[in-house]
Amino acid sequence: MNRRLLAALTVTAMVVTASAAAMALLLHDFQPYAPAEKVAQVAADGTWILAGLIAWKRRPDNRVGPLMTALGFVDLAHQFYWDAPLPFTIAQVVSFYSLPVAIHLFLAFPSGRLSTRFERRYVAFAYAAVLVFSPVSQLFWDPQGTDCPDCPRNLLLVDPDPDAWSAVSTVGDLLLIGILLTGFVLLVRRVRRATAPTRRAFAPVLLTAALAVVLLGVVIAMDAAGVRTEESAPLWLSDVFFAAVPIAFLVGLLRTRWRRSVVADLVVRLRSAAGPAQLRDAIAQALGDRSLELAFWLPERQHLVDAAGDVYPARATSGRALTMLDRGGRPVAALVHDPSLLDDPGLIEAVGAAASLALENSRLQAELRAQLVEVRASRTRLVNMGDEERRRLERDLHDGAQQRLLGIRIALQLARNRLARGGAVDDLLREADAEVGGALEELRALARGIHPAILTEEGLAAALGALVRRAPVPVELNASAERVPASVEATAYFVAAEALANVVKHARASRVTIDVTRSNGALALDVTDDGVGGADATGSGLRGLRDRVEALDGQFVIDSPQGRGTRVSAAIPCA
Amino acid sequence: MAWTVLIVDDHPGFRGFARRLLEADGFTVVGEAGDGASALAAVDALEPELVLLDVVLPDTDGFAVADRLAQRADAPAVVLTSSRDAADFGRRLEQTPANGFIHKDDLSGYALVALVGELGDRS
């Protein structure tokens, strides 16, 4: 808001208020109020305008100031009339116009915005209803014929029918009651759901308004009991408190400056916040949301983790809201909080900014923990995989070669017995020989599965060459004979062997390519096929390969779109 | 007397040798089976007096087949066999209704008679 507008509004307010007050004193003969009370009402409007202008100036981007100012002016327009038909008619029409403004103000306080769609619709309805209904109802009000014989003429009067007037005013009353009740319910709901800072802002307003209403109740009760209330203490006090409401609004609004001190307190508390738990507590306290949860973003894995490093589900559960906090444009953490905090998005933003460095630190800690969790899991899987391989070896030995050896032994016994009786043993020996051949072949395959000798003797390229020659599908191999550390060769070999076995088992591929290259101090292995794709990267076989590669600080990537082939890539550092 | 025997083992080479060994020792081998399901079918069809039953089978294991056979009214005698040691099977061998266990390395007609004959005396 610029200075000139502020000055113009201030001068206008002073002139209008002063003249309204003067008029109230001079031309009061047809008014239903005592002159002093009228002056009090005008003064209250002046207070609204003045408090509104101060609020506007102090918080230029908050709509509360303009609303308060508008409320003062609109109500003043109702006071500002004299004994002539035109101002009288205007004053009657605008007499209820302050109501929707007041409702708007109460519901938008202290952020200046209506928070729900229902509130926005309700306030729009209140404006529309009052703006339209007020002039319409005047069409049937004949002051002289009803309750105000001394009043000036109503210029809008078209039909002085008392029945029509009574019907219209009944509708008006119902409309008014409906609007007020809804507004009251919305206000109660808002205050109940409000966060600590919002409650703090509301406190002076509610206190002042409640006192004014209670005193008004006392006055009404006295009236009902027949006690004279004119110029009585409760009536005066009630007027004073009503006049103090705008000041309470101003105080409440400026109290939300506490946000700054909330942030300042947070900054101080962060100095002693050693870990994510204390960080969460500090932010929870700053935001006034004890159930606040904090999760950290891991850019590499594209998901959230909690402080312990475990995966955090990234969906906002019902009744909670999730806000991502950025640092330098990169997501750092997520707050899962009470949705009412969104009433004041600046608050979360300010708290997030203040805690940004601490959040980044905690994020790094959480990232480390997540890595630790993953390393532990991978270590367990590697051990389990080792155990599983031993079990498989035991089975293969017992059910393969040993089975054949036992058979051969029986054959030898039979042969010995037959020879002792002078029988023929040719068939037995032929079968035993076949079994020996089978046993040898099985043992060779088994030994190759444990660790192919050619890998140790001649290196990865030669071992892959042997693997490719045994493969039942055509495989193109591009690998140089250069040697790398044994652990890297073994891991690359098993990745290639498992990937090739998967191609044979699942891919229905017509072509397979194995590429081995060295770049940037790493050995890169790619096994590509033109098969059906859709490989399950979480299956135990591929998972085991990933663990093996990652155990050597390598990277393992599977790209297997449905129907478009599979590419298994491993990059293993080898200095 | 000549016992009728069914040999159940998933390894055809071993079955062949075992058949000739048992026949040499005076048994009548009435059939062979490669897995649990065909073993049960073969017992129905051939009604052998003795089943030599490998513990490790492709579809089930010898203990399960022994349990099924023990439920029959005219249950044949059952001797479990394996290339593994008896100790490898622990309590399962104590709880099986089979008449006994013999390591494949110790397989002979006399050993079978010793195991089954014992039970024959008791019954």
Side-chain angles (χ1 to χ4, degrees):
Chain A
M1 175 194 195
N2 62 43
R3 258 162 206 283
R4 212 176 279 174
L5 177 59
L6 184 71
L9 283 171
T10 311
V11 170
T12 312
M14 285 162 73
V15 170
V16 172
T17 312
S19 43
M23 229 171 330
L25 287 171
L26 299 172
L27 309 165
H28 62 82
D29 45 336
F30 66 91
Q31 293 186 355
Y33 304 105
E37 206 179 324
K38 185 78 191 173
V39 170
Q41 286 177 3
V42 170
D45 291 335
T47 315
W48 274 111
I49 296 172
L50 200 63
L53 289 173
I54 294 171
W56 200 341
K57 183 160 165 47
R58 295 286 295 272
R59 293 299 197 79
D61 48 359
N62 191 314
R63 214 174 276 166
V64 166
L67 278 171
M68 290 170 67
T69 311
L71 182 58
F73 274 113
V74 171
D75 202 59
L76 206 51
H78 163 55
Q79 317 281 6
F80 191 69
Y81 62 104
W82 63 93
D83 197 355
L86 184 62
F88 176 75
T89 305
I90 293 174
Q92 291 305 318
V93 168
V94 302
S95 64
F96 280 106
Y97 280 10
S98 53
L99 178 74
V101 184
I103 285 171
H104 188 174
L105 173 63
F106 264 97
L107 291 182
F109 186 76
S111 69
R113 284 183 321 274
L114 297 168
S115 48
T116 68
R117 184 193 285 193
F118 182 78
E119 281 179 358
R120 285 192 287 276
R121 287 186 176 170
Y122 159 73
V123 168
F125 173 78
Y127 274 114
V130 173
L131 280 173
V132 172
F133 196 79
S134 267
V136 170
S137 68
Q138 294 301 310
L139 301 178
F140 306 101
W141 184 50
D142 177 15
Q144 284 77 27
T146 52
D147 45 0
C148 186
D150 297 336
C151 284
R153 221 156 34 83
N154 173 10
L155 290 178
L156 285 175
L157 181 66
V158 293
D159 181 6
D161 176 8
D163 290 340
W165 164 240
S166 126
V168 164
S169 51
T170 305
V171 172
D173 286 349
L174 288 177
L175 205 58
L176 204 62
I177 289 170
I179 289 174
L180 281 173
L181 273 181
T182 312
F184 185 70
V185 170
L186 286 176
L187 183 64
V188 168
R189 204 183 62 138
R190 246 180 76 72
V191 171
R192 281 183 49 149
R193 291 190 181 176
T195 50
T198 305
R199 283 219 185 93
R200 237 186 340 248
F202 252 116
V205 174
L206 293 179
L207 187 71
T208 319
L211 279 170
V213 168
V214 167
L215 285 163
L216 195 62
V218 171
V219 173
I220 290 168
M222 285 165 70
D223 266 337
V227 182
R228 211 180 107 82
T229 54
E230 222 170 293
E231 317 229 340
S232 71
L235 185 62
W236 272 109
L237 276 174
S238 165
D239 281 345
V240 167
F241 278 114
F242 271 117
V245 169
I247 296 168
F249 265 105
L250 180 62
V251 169
L253 184 74
L254 297 184
R255 262 189 133 190
T256 58
R257 289 259 175 204
W258 282 102
R259 181 202 289 178
R260 301 289 156 84
S261 73
V262 157
V263 170
D265 286 351
L266 174 64
V267 170
V268 171
R269 212 172 293 118
L270 285 177
R271 278 211 322 230
S272 55
Q278 288 103 315
L279 177 61
R280 187 216 77 92
D281 293 348
I283 295 176
Q285 194 169 350
L287 291 175
D289 178 3
R290 256 178 267 166
S291 59
L292 180 95
E293 286 175 45
L294 192 55
F296 303 97
W297 179 251
L298 300 191
E300 268 183 31
R301 304 205 207 154
Q302 296 286 304
H303 66 65
L304 291 166
V305 292
D306 61 18
D310 293 322
V311 177
Y312 187 92
R315 58 196 155 67
T317 45
S318 72
R320 310 291 291 162
L322 189 146
T323 303
M324 288 298 294
L325 299 176
D326 294 2
R327 184 160 193 262
R330 289 176 301 107
V332 172
L335 295 180
V336 177
H337 56 82
D338 193 304
S340 67
L341 287 176
L342 295 175
D343 288 353
D344 188 359
L347 180 65
I348 292 183
E349 211 171 292
V351 163
S356 129
L357 189 62
L359 282 168
E360 177 66 29
N361 283 339
S362 284
R363 192 195 73 75
L364 288 172
Q365 286 180 27
E367 194 167 37
L368 273 179
R369 287 209 183 82
Q371 278 167 5
L372 197 63
V373 166
E374 175 52 29
V375 165
R376 283 206 183 108
S378 143
R379 201 168 54 182
T380 307
R381 281 195 302 267
L382 283 171
V383 169
N384 289 344
M385 198 162 72
D387 289 347
E388 178 52 41
E389 262 164 31
R390 283 172 185 223
R391 270 195 294 276
R392 196 170 51 80
L393 273 178
E394 189 267 354
R395 256 197 324 268
D396 287 352
L397 283 171
H398 268 301
D399 301 339
Q402 196 192 359
Q403 205 78 244
R404 293 186 192 269
L405 289 174
L406 287 165
I408 293 160
R409 183 163 197 190
I410 292 171
L412 291 176
Q413 270 177 37
L414 286 168
R416 194 175 57 207
N417 292 348
R418 282 193 197 175
L419 282 175
R421 293 198 301 268
V425 294
D426 282 3
D427 60 328
L428 276 173
L429 292 180
R430 204 169 42 247
E431 282 178 50
D433 184 57
E435 286 296 288
V436 169
L440 286 173
E441 181 48 46
E442 276 174 17
L443 286 173
R444 259 203 300 272
L446 203 58
R448 207 160 45 217
I450 297 168
H451 194 98
I454 189 170
L455 187 60
T456 319
E457 300 299 325
E458 294 181 46
L460 181 61
L464 290 177
L467 183 70
V468 162
R469 274 192 298 281
R470 287 194 305 274
V473 284
V475 182
E476 183 191 331
L477 173 67
N478 306 304
S480 72
E482 196 181 357
R483 298 297 300 260
V484 289
S487 58
V488 177
E489 287 191 328
T491 299
Y493 176 83
F494 286 112
V495 169
E498 176 82 23
L500 197 55
N502 282 341
V503 171
V504 172
K505 261 189 273 177
H506 309 297
R508 300 205 291 276
S510 62
R511 293 183 54 83
V512 187
T513 312
I514 299 179
D515 293 300
V516 182
T517 50
R518 284 200 63 174
S519 60
N520 302 327
L523 180 89
L525 170 85
D526 292 279
V527 182
T528 317
D529 70 60
D530 62 352
V532 294
D536 176 16
T538 60
S540 69
L542 291 174
R543 180 78 249 189
L545 291 183
R546 176 186 297 279
D547 287 337
R548 276 190 89 129
V549 172
E550 286 178 355
L552 295 179
D553 275 337
Q555 286 190 329
F556 184 78
V557 180
I558 294 166
D559 182 25
S560 188
Q562 200 68 249
R564 281 186 287 139
T566 299
R567 180 193 190 88
V568 173
S569 307
I572 309 163
C574 47
Chain B
M1 68 170 226
W3 291 77
T4 54
V5 184
L6 173 72
I7 299 175
V8 183
D9 196 305
D10 60 329
H11 202 288
F14 181 83
R15 282 205 306 268
F17 292 126
R19 167 190 278 266
R20 269 170 290 185
L21 176 75
L22 294 183
E23 283 174 348
D25 286 349
F27 287 79
T28 304
V29 177
V30 292
E32 297 176 16
D35 56 47
S38 49
L40 291 170
V43 169
D44 279 340
L46 306 169
E47 297 185 344
E49 291 162 295
L50 174 68
V51 178
L52 180 67
L53 184 56
D54 191 12
V55 173
V56 180
L57 293 171
D59 56 342
T60 172
D61 65 34
F63 295 107
V65 176
D67 288 342
R68 291 283 299 273
L69 290 177
Q71 288 163 13
R72 296 169 61 95
D74 52 344
V78 174
V79 172
L80 289 163
T81 185
S82 176
S83 55
R84 290 174 175 81
D85 288 335
D88 287 348
F89 301 108
R91 297 181 59 81
R92 298 188 73 188
L93 266 183
E94 290 168 26
Q95 288 159 358
T96 180
N99 300 65
F101 174 85
I102 190 165
H103 194 277
K104 281 185 177 175
D105 205 18
D106 299 328
L107 183 64
S108 73
Y110 305 110
L112 285 182
V113 169
L115 280 173
V116 178
E118 222 174 80
L119 186 105
D121 292 344
R122 251 191 274 155
S123 57

